[in-house]
Amino acid sequence: MNSTPIERAFVYCPRCATANPDLGSIPFRCPECELKLFFGPVSAVGGLVVNDNREVLLVLRAKDPGRGKWGLPGGFVDRNETIEDALRREVREETNLTIRDLRYLMSQPNHYAYGGATAPVIDLFFECRVESLESFALCKDELDHHAWVRPTHEHLENMAFKSNRIAVETWLNQTSK
């Protein structure tokens, strides 16, 4: 599927429908109503959920983008939601697990291609411990499979998002010391 950078999708002003005279410019500036849009990144979270054996939970994505590839539990931050609350919500929605402790690991820029447009994203990653693994259940609408692993080269080569791979590699480097 072809994907267009979000700034090139604004052929017309979304407020007054004036044609965009400078397609692809950032920020978008409407010459008629003076609307200005910066197309800044949206926030997303990813959880490196770790068990007592120091294995991380990888999930196999059931939907695009990245269908059939490994990822981390996570997703977009909703409006009026903290980063930490978004992480707790996303991990709960995707795995039915409740986060007990979390530690900030890193952030990484990403691009999310969906519906024919690509939007900039800033992914924030956390190492997570959960209350119990007894309630674990994958959200079958979003995920096909899971694995508790010390990720190998094969896992890393089959990650849905480069940002997830970098986060896992960072975690592996930190935990091997």
Side-chain angles (χ1 to χ4, degrees):
M1 171 187 0
N2 286 339
S3 186
T4 302
I6 193 72
E7 63 272 12
R8 295 200 57 81
F10 280 69
V11 177
Y12 299 97
C13 175
R15 180 188 286 160
C16 70
T18 297
N20 183 352
D22 195 12
L23 190 60
S25 66
I26 300 174
F28 165 86
R29 288 186 174 108
C30 177
E32 186 65 31
C33 73
E34 299 181 358
L35 175 68
K36 189 185 287 187
L37 298 172
F38 288 89
F39 308 112
V42 296
S43 301
V45 291
L48 286 91
V49 179
V50 179
N51 67 16
D52 290 339
N53 296 327
R54 298 296 294 160
E55 297 166 319
V56 69
L57 174 64
L58 295 183
V59 291
L60 203 61
R61 295 178 59 85
K63 292 182 175 180
D64 282 323
R67 177 195 259 190
K69 295 188 176 216
W70 292 111
L72 298 168
F76 289 105
V77 178
D78 289 342
R79 187 175 290 200
N80 300 318
E81 186 175 47
T82 69
I83 298 295
E84 296 82 1
D85 286 345
L87 181 64
R88 288 182 186 96
R89 175 185 51 75
E90 286 287 348
V91 168
R92 180 77 166 181
E93 287 174 2
E94 293 184 2
T95 67
N96 203 40
L97 295 173
T98 301
I99 293 177
R100 178 187 71 212
D101 298 312
L102 53 88
R103 178 185 68 86
Y104 176 75
L105 180 66
M106 64 174 293
S107 64
Q108 187 68 34
N110 190 9
H111 291 91
Y112 192 82
Y114 186 77
T118 300
V121 179
I122 186 69
D123 291 338
L124 297 110
F125 295 97
F126 294 80
E127 179 180 330
C128 307
R129 297 292 181 149
V130 296
E131 288 182 3
S132 169
L133 296 177
E134 291 177 20
S135 64
F136 180 81
L138 284 182
C139 174
K140 293 297 184 183
D141 290 342
E142 296 186 32
L143 306 170
D144 282 334
H145 185 66
H146 76 281
W148 291 97
V149 296
R150 288 287 293 182
T152 65
H153 181 74
E154 285 182 37
H155 293 110
L156 296 172
E157 285 295 313
N158 196 32
M159 297 292 288
F161 303 107
K162 182 178 178 184
S163 62
N164 280 214
R165 178 186 176 141
I166 291 169
V168 171
E169 289 171 336
T170 299
W171 178 80
L172 285 168
N173 287 335
Q174 288 182 4
T175 59
S176 66
K177 295 176 183 176

